[in-house]
Every structure is written in C-alpha cells, then in structure tokens.
Amino acid sequence: QPNQCWSMDFMHDQLSDGRSVRLFNVIDDFNREALCIEVDFSLPASRVKRALEQVITWRGKPAIIRCDNGPEYISEELKRWAKQEGITLGYIQPGNPQQNAYIERFNRTYRGKVLNRYLFDNLDEVREVTTTFIEDYNNHRPHDALGGLPPALYRQNMDGINNTSPAGLRSASATPSLHYAQQEIISKEK
C-alpha cells in the first residue's frame, strides 16, 4: 500500500566552486516513487520536518519513515514532530545501510543520472536538473521490480486492482508480460 513506509536519506555533492551541497531524499517504498529531493547548503532537522510536511500535504501521511541514525533524524525536534503526527521513525542499525535498501538504490540511480553527469555552478541548477530527473524517474523510467512500469503508473494500476474483485488481484501477477511489451515499445521509439 502507498504510504505504508517511506525511506529517507541524505546525500552530499559539491558545486563547481567546491562548496558542499546536501540533498535530502524521500521515497515511498511501495512503488519506489521519489517524493522529495530537497537541495541546499544546510538541511537541519527543521528543514527535514518542513520538507516532510510539504510532501504530506499532497501525498498523505506515511505510517513509518525508515532512516539511519544521522543527527537530523535522531533530533528531539524530529522525534517530537513524528510523534505528534502519529508517524513511526524506523531507525536502521548503525552501519547497516542495506536495511534501507530502497533509498540506497534510489540514491545510486540519482547519483549516476544527475550528480555524476553534471558540474553545477549553483543550487538553482541542481534543483532544475533534479526536478526533471524526478519527473522522468516517476513517470517514464521503467523499474524491473515494478514489472517494468514507472512508479506513478504502477501506483495507478495497483489502485485500480485494489478497487476490483479478488479475480482482478490474481490477474495482477501477469505484470512481467507488461514489462516485455513496454520494452518493445521503448526499443521501437529509439
């Protein structure tokens, strides 16, 4: 189900002048959809909270947010906010990033498609390319784990299946054939 568990993590990069940039990433584990990539020089707990609140306004609340034990995530401010919102912060064990595998995989994709491909001069450039990446990642990029569908389409399809009879649920296991059909379409477009 969407909003059952989100994952969040930080990344770092540098601008062309050497200034460090922080990136705060949030995905929905259900369909690997990128919900947020916040970009700035500093992202303290108050900014993490604000970014999560912005996502919640259009997406709804998650039951759990999985994260590591970074200082922003273990801050009293974020813990208090999560408790007030009825959201469980699910901390992974220190030194075990594989326990947050979905966001780690997303981070690797984002680094390869954006951060390693561009030399940015300012934050606005990072934000602009990131916005384009999120739109493509969520709406066009096929994911093997989702039967070859992009995250947004997978969620839409699952919403339709969840509103049908049990027979409709059984037919959902046919998604691998969708993967091959979609790859044929992509190949023909090239």
Side-chain angles (χ1 to χ4, degrees):
Q1 292 289 339
N3 294 341
Q4 184 62 38
C5 183
W6 293 357
S7 292
M8 61 183 178
D9 198 18
F10 280 102
M11 295 180 72
H12 299 83
D13 204 46
Q14 287 187 334
L15 297 179
S16 60
D17 62 9
R19 288 182 292 169
S20 291
V21 174
R22 292 195 84 195
L23 304 110
F24 171 63
N25 303 342
V26 181
I27 66 166
D28 189 329
D29 290 2
F30 166 72
N31 64 336
R32 319 308 194 271
E33 189 171 1
L35 305 178
C36 167
I37 299 179
E38 188 80 9
V39 179
D40 214 328
F41 294 117
S42 175
L43 293 168
S46 59
R47 285 288 300 278
V48 168
K49 185 177 79 169
R50 186 173 83 194
L52 292 170
E53 287 171 344
Q54 289 172 345
V55 174
I56 287 169
T57 61
W58 61 268
R59 180 61 178 237
K61 287 183 190 178
I64 299 167
I65 302 177
R66 184 179 297 121
C67 57
D68 61 28
N69 294 278
E72 297 84 358
Y73 301 144
I74 62 171
S75 73
E76 287 305 315
E77 180 179 3
L78 191 64
K79 288 179 182 179
R80 194 169 37 256
W81 172 82
K83 186 175 181 178
Q84 288 171 347
E85 294 292 322
I87 299 169
T88 301
L89 294 175
Y91 296 101
I92 64 171
Q93 294 174 320
N96 286 304
Q98 68 274 12
Q99 292 178 348
N100 208 358
Y102 293 138
I103 194 77
E104 293 295 336
R105 177 65 176 96
F106 174 81
N107 290 349
R108 188 172 75 220
T109 298
Y110 176 68
R111 182 163 298 284
K113 299 288 184 184
V114 175
L115 299 179
N116 289 347
R117 287 191 178 184
Y118 298 92
L119 184 59
F120 298 106
D121 292 326
N122 57 57
L123 293 178
D124 288 337
E125 289 179 359
V126 181
R127 291 177 183 131
E128 183 179 331
V129 172
T130 296
T131 298
T132 301
F133 167 80
I134 291 172
E135 198 281 327
D136 181 64
Y137 180 89
N138 285 342
N139 297 296
H140 305 289
R141 183 181 177 274
H143 292 247
D144 288 339
L146 303 177
L149 299 174
L153 184 57
Y154 181 81
R155 181 172 39 88
Q156 289 171 355
N157 285 354
M158 294 307 291
D159 285 346
I161 289 170
N162 291 334
N163 293 324
T164 62
S165 68
L169 288 173
R170 284 192 293 279
S171 69
S173 64
T175 55
S177 62
L178 292 174
H179 173 68
Y180 299 116
Q182 187 169 7
Q183 285 208 332
E184 280 185 30
I185 292 167
I186 292 168
S187 297
K188 289 177 184 176
E189 289 175 353
K190 291 179 181 177

